[in-house]
Amino acid sequence: MARGTADWDAASYDRLAAPQEEWAREVLERLPLRGDETVLDAGCGSGRTTRLLLERLPRGKVIGVDGSESMIAGAREALGSYGERIELVHSDLLALELAEPVDAVFSNAVFHWIFDHEALFARLRAAIKPGALLVAQCGGEGNVANWVAAVKRAAARQPFADHLADRPEPWQYASPEATAERLEGAGFSDVRCWLEERVVEPEDPRRYVAVVGLAAHHQQLPPELREPFTDAVDEELERPLVLRYVRLNIEARAAAPA
């Protein structure tokens, strides 16, 4: 999750992100690579899926970007052995600037944490060469609806409502149609967007939802309310917990300048 500019518990996220890694492998299968390209990992997180990308680029390079300082620190620790083949950048994707355009963009479980998709896609288009591919997956329309409802109910309670009630939701679960329109408006062509459902049944539901989904809410709360808010969300979730993820798949090619 690159997760906007909220900071995250990188070590815990890395331990709990097995479903996201499995989905990332599927996304990577859709990205054709020779092995010598430079690829942007837009929202590299703790480096868990970045390592998969590096394995596909034995003569290439990955530029990993994330808005979380702890995620970048975790990625540096995990990927240091790759030397000059990995460049890690702490930056909000909406403020991304690269020295040179890259050959492709990969992203997994990130874009839904960035509300302004028009600005996001425009920034990514500026970062890649004409004809380069963007291949990504993120949360889409209808994603984890039971969890979203539980978070809203918990946020409406006091004392959390004083801090969260007037805040916009920190996610953007977009439809394929809206996403395709935004990509085309940003200068992409050959756009394909579609939804797929994935089911996750966490072994430790409380820990999973706290680490994978509540960082943005915790950032808005004083430290003494973060654990109680996690408890409140947990109380609102049914048992056994079944999370129905709706994944928005994205494929697009950077159009040549007119």
Side-chain angles (χ1 to χ4, degrees):
M1 303 176 177
R3 297 145 283 257
T5 56
D7 209 4
W8 290 65
D9 183 342
S12 295
Y13 184 89
D14 191 71
R15 288 193 295 271
L16 293 167
Q20 286 76 14
E21 179 178 340
E22 178 183 344
W23 303 335
R25 291 180 184 274
E26 297 175 2
V27 177
L28 276 172
E29 290 177 0
R30 305 203 313 265
L31 179 59
L33 294 170
R34 298 183 308 272
D36 61 353
E37 296 94 338
T38 296
V39 179
L40 170 65
D41 186 354
C44 63
S46 61
R48 185 166 178 158
T49 58
T50 311
R51 187 186 303 275
L52 302 177
L53 186 54
L54 283 161
E55 291 172 357
R56 296 276 310 279
L57 295 164
R59 302 175 307 283
K61 177 181 178 179
V62 174
I63 301 175
V65 177
D66 204 281
S68 164
E69 289 186 17
S70 64
M71 286 290 194
I72 287 292
R76 286 199 177 102
E77 182 177 353
L79 303 173
S81 63
Y82 288 92
E84 294 183 356
R85 291 178 53 212
I86 178 70
E87 178 184 348
L88 295 167
V89 179
H90 174 226
S91 173
D92 186 335
L93 286 173
L94 295 182
L96 177 65
E97 293 187 7
L98 299 180
E100 296 181 359
V102 296
D103 300 303
V105 175
F106 163 81
S107 185
N108 183 63
V110 173
F111 291 172
H112 55 271
W113 293 111
I114 300 172
F115 195 79
D116 190 344
H117 283 186
E118 289 89 347
L120 170 65
F121 296 148
R123 185 65 69 170
L124 293 178
R125 173 61 190 87
I128 61 178
K129 298 174 182 177
L133 282 174
L134 162 63
V135 176
Q137 186 184 88
C138 62
E141 187 175 37
N143 191 48
V144 287
N146 57 335
W147 173 78
V148 169
V151 172
K152 289 181 178 179
R153 290 193 297 268
R157 299 187 200 175
Q158 291 294 353
F160 316 117
D162 289 339
H163 305 276
L164 299 175
D166 296 328
R167 300 282 183 174
E169 294 177 344
W171 50 73
Q172 165 77 292
Y173 295 141
S175 70
E177 296 78 13
T179 301
E181 182 176 347
R182 290 165 180 156
L183 285 162
E184 290 167 354
F188 288 91
S189 61
D190 302 329
V191 175
R192 293 182 63 228
C193 300
W194 71 98
L195 298 176
E196 293 179 336
E197 185 175 292
R198 297 286 187 270
V199 175
V200 173
E201 298 183 40
E203 293 183 8
D204 184 346
R206 184 190 183 282
R207 188 62 175 158
Y208 183 87
V209 298
V211 171
V212 175
L214 294 181
H217 297 83
H218 286 168
Q219 186 168 288
Q220 302 300 326
L221 292 167
E224 65 272 15
L225 290 182
R226 292 170 185 173
E227 286 299 313
F229 181 68
T230 299
D231 291 335
V233 174
D234 188 54
E235 291 169 6
E236 294 286 351
L237 291 166
E238 71 278 5
R239 293 293 192 275
L241 178 60
V242 178
L243 295 171
R244 299 190 180 279
Y245 282 83
V246 179
R247 313 312 293 163
L248 172 60
N249 293 286
I250 296 170
E251 293 181 7
R253 189 176 299 277

